[in-house]
Amino acid sequence: MWGGRTGALLRVWGLWPAGVRGRRPLGCNAASLAGNNSPQCWNCGGPGVPKRGDGFFCPQCRALQPPDLTRDYFSLMDCNRAFAVDTAKLQNRYQQLQRLVHPDFFSQRSQTEKDFSEKHATLVNDAYKTLLAPLSRGLYLLKLHGVEIAEGTDYAMDQQFLMEIMEINEKLAEAQSEAAMKEIESIVRAKQKELSDNVSKAFEQGEE
Ligand SMILES: [Zn+2]
């Protein structure tokens, strides 16, 4: 009843929120990364921040720099690019990034920095939400691997698939006793394994 087929997993895509299926290219190709390793600071014209790492601010003038749109969500959230993520670590990272780029901290700064902080904050929110939920995380992994997602028509199974995920989330929120938590944890693990198996299958399909 879980569906358990890659087809079902892929069809779910059609129902997923816009943040996950954004039309902006992810830019994981070599061309978009090449020749852009030391962008100049928009404010002072200095050498800017290194491509790798967390330098959101110019080391010379401290101006907030625009978001690096070639960076994928796993890199931004400091997670390994894999289905299994440490959600506690993900949450810490989310809070850390919010403290750096939240628009509230830029109310006294230039309009350019205000705009950049809005963009950063949106990106961080999207990345966090996408990687937090197993389903959207799996779908995002597929996307990074270039698996084409066909817009589907069989929404009945998709709904069921999503309902199961939501039910588990609700149970998890309601659970009081440790025994109940343990039981739910084992259900979630089984579901996650099934989902990751589906993701693996889809990867294989994508490599054909
Ligand atoms: Zn600067």
Side-chain angles (χ1 to χ4, degrees), residues 41-46 48 58-63 65:
C41 170
W42 63 271
N43 189 42
C44 71
C58 171
Q60 289 184 33
C61 71
R62 306 302 302 159
Q65 302 297 303

Side-chain angles (χ1 to χ4, degrees), residues 54 71-80 89-90 93 96-97 131:
D54 266 351
R71 195 172 181 187
D72 71 69
Y73 289 170
F74 288 96
S75 164
L76 178 63
M77 302 311 287
D78 202 17
C79 293
N80 291 328
K89 199 178 145 202
L90 179 65
R93 173 68 172 167
Q96 181 202 357
L97 290 176
L131 298 194

Side-chain angles (χ1 to χ4, degrees), residues 66-200:
D68 177 4
L69 298 179
T70 65
R71 195 172 181 187
D72 71 69
Y73 289 170
F74 288 96
S75 164
L76 178 63
M77 302 311 287
D78 202 17
C79 293
N80 291 328
R81 195 190 279 194
F83 185 66
V85 302
D86 182 340
T87 52
K89 199 178 145 202
L90 179 65
Q91 262 158 357
N92 286 340
R93 173 68 172 167
Y94 174 66
Q95 284 158 4
Q96 181 202 357
L97 290 176
Q98 286 284 22
R99 285 194 293 269
L100 282 177
V101 300
H102 196 283
D104 285 356
F105 303 134
F106 293 87
S107 57
Q108 306 298 317
R109 308 290 283 267
S110 69
Q111 189 59 45
T112 307
E113 282 178 283
K114 281 180 192 163
D115 292 346
F116 287 158
S117 87
E118 294 276 358
K119 284 181 184 160
H120 275 291
T122 302
L123 197 61
V124 167
N125 276 326
D126 286 348
Y128 174 65
K129 279 189 225 156
T130 301
L131 298 194
L132 188 62
L135 181 56
S136 55
R137 187 193 314 139
L139 292 171
Y140 184 70
L141 265 174
L142 288 176
K143 193 176 174 183
L144 286 181
H145 278 76
V147 176
E148 282 294 323
I149 309 297
E151 299 275 349
T153 51
D154 183 7
Y155 282 180
M157 185 177 289
D158 305 340
Q159 294 284 14
Q160 192 184 341
F161 192 77
L162 286 172
M163 285 302 290
E164 284 199 56
I165 297 273
M166 282 188 266
E167 273 172 32
I168 290 169
N169 281 341
E170 279 167 23
K171 277 184 191 160
L172 208 51
E174 287 165 7
Q176 299 293 331
S177 74
E178 192 157 333
M181 286 294 289
K182 283 252 154 61
E183 190 191 328
I184 290 165
E185 200 179 292
S186 68
I187 294 171
V188 170
R189 278 187 207 284
K191 293 288 186 200
Q192 283 187 330
K193 186 179 180 307
E194 208 161 66
L195 183 61
S196 66
D197 287 348
N198 286 347
V199 170
S200 301

Side-chain angles (χ1 to χ4, degrees), residues 2-13:
W2 178 241
R5 293 199 309 273
T6 306
L9 179 68
L10 298 187
R11 281 195 301 275
V12 171
W13 192 260

